[in-house]
Amino acid sequence: MQAKAMQCASEERRIAEETPGRIRAHDAWGLDLPVLMDAMNTRAVEYDLGKGSMHAALGVITGQLFILVRPGLTDTQVAFAIRSLLAHYIHRPYPVLRFWAATQGQGARVEEVDDLPDSVPAEPPEVTVDVLDLFGDGHWAPKDGWRPDEEVLAELKDIAVLGLKGVVEDIPVDRYPLPAGLGAVMTISEDNDGAPHPLVYLRGDLPTGLLVDLLGFCIALGSGAEYGDWEPDENGLIFVGTEAGPVRGPGAALLGALMVQRLGRRPGDCAFTLLAPPTEGSASAPELAA
């Protein structure tokens, strides 16, 4: 699994270097909504979607993306539905998608529709845009242009250590071999005023680009950004995996991705998997300072 993650990260970095402007799932949440919809040639129209909690649906019609939105939704609900559908489409273009609002005990979700009409194209159009132009002078545009991963990693460490008064170090070599798929171990320390300070130990044998994305995620998580219903283990430790999915909404994954982009790297998937604590007999995690 570790070798697979490193191989995927290297391939992802190669693709990013060759096509730095390719739109990605986190852009659906970081761009202004009108800019996003215009770039993706998308129209939104109200449509009666019947009973149930389905708020919106996406379909490809004559090469254009249409989003059908349930009447009566608030502007916030409409924006969330549109961004959710477009984020999924960017990550995995699919001709028909449905967005289901959150219900009791179940979060909002996007579903791919399997029973497609014959008139629907089997291969929907991909979206290729110059992302740097889309972000313009916005808050999440790279402040100094695209930079080498090594420079972005160094600046992220300064933010964590100097800005947030945290700790960022490599996992000590005497702790190797590490559990398969483990990318970082972290905890969150609070000062007397309740301000959080991230303490992060990174796996040192990962590609630099993957380390940047991991650290951005850990800083965001350590700053209090939400990320599902995770909880630290009994020792207050959080085990972060090397595998990640696309950004699906606001929270630590989105904040980490946009932070990395602001510093000059086009991030890959940043919704990192949180792992269960290592079982007895497996490689132990480093002891983190209190």
Side-chain angles (χ1 to χ4, degrees):
M1 183 183 297
Q2 183 67 27
K4 178 182 177 182
M6 294 177 70
Q7 181 180 359
C8 290
S10 297
E11 177 66 11
E12 186 176 73
R13 182 182 181 185
R14 181 189 66 79
I15 294 173
E17 290 173 346
E18 292 178 357
T19 57
R22 183 170 62 91
I23 196 165
R24 300 180 190 169
H26 74 273
D27 296 320
W29 302 95
L31 288 168
D32 290 339
L33 190 58
V35 173
L36 172 70
M37 294 181 66
D38 183 62
M40 297 190 65
N41 192 24
T42 304
R43 285 188 58 194
V45 295
E46 288 193 344
Y47 187 83
D48 184 2
L49 297 172
K51 298 180 179 179
S53 58
M54 184 169 65
H55 274 193
L58 176 149
V60 180
I61 303 175
T62 62
Q64 183 176 12
L65 297 180
F66 279 84
I67 294 182
L68 309 179
V69 181
R70 177 185 296 277
L73 300 182
T74 65
D75 291 345
T76 300
Q77 289 174 318
V78 170
F80 192 89
I82 292 174
R83 291 185 187 276
S84 296
L85 287 165
L86 292 181
H88 186 105
Y89 186 88
I90 290 168
H91 180 71
R92 176 179 155 84
Y94 203 79
V96 180
L97 301 171
R98 294 183 295 197
F99 172 77
W100 297 86
T103 57
Q104 187 173 3
Q106 188 170 14
R109 68 190 190 280
V110 175
E111 293 181 349
E112 298 177 355
V113 178
D114 293 329
D115 51 339
L116 299 177
D118 294 336
S119 59
V120 173
E123 296 184 0
E126 293 188 2
V127 180
T128 55
V129 296
D130 187 337
V131 174
L132 192 58
D133 283 348
L134 294 183
F135 279 96
D137 297 327
H139 185 61
W140 298 119
K143 61 185 179 67
D144 298 312
W146 305 126
R147 302 162 63 199
D149 291 340
E150 292 77 11
E151 293 183 10
V152 178
L153 181 61
E155 189 162 352
L156 266 180
K157 289 181 177 179
D158 285 345
I159 290 173
V161 176
L162 302 178
L164 299 177
K165 299 180 180 179
V167 172
V168 178
E169 295 182 6
D170 288 344
I171 296 176
V173 294
D174 60 358
R175 296 289 175 173
Y176 285 74
L178 297 171
L182 178 68
V185 182
M186 64 174 294
T187 190
I188 303 169
S189 175
E190 292 187 354
D191 58 26
N192 293 334
D193 296 325
H197 306 288
L199 285 71
V200 183
Y201 280 70
L202 294 169
R203 184 174 193 131
D205 58 352
L206 298 176
T208 307
L210 178 56
L211 285 175
V212 173
D213 293 347
L214 266 171
L215 182 54
F217 172 83
C218 290
I219 291 175
L221 193 64
S223 300
E226 295 184 358
Y227 194 67
D229 55 357
W230 64 273
E231 291 183 2
D233 73 355
E234 59 184 9
N235 297 312
L237 300 180
I238 304 163
F239 299 87
V240 185
T242 54
E243 295 188 356
V247 173
R248 299 189 181 278
L254 176 60
L255 178 58
L258 292 177
M259 187 188 317
V260 165
Q261 179 168 290
R262 177 64 174 165
L263 297 181
R265 167 179 159 80
R266 280 293 280 164
D269 290 340
C270 286
F272 285 95
T273 302
L274 299 185
L275 307 176
T279 58
E280 185 176 353
S282 65
S284 57
E287 295 180 2
L288 300 184

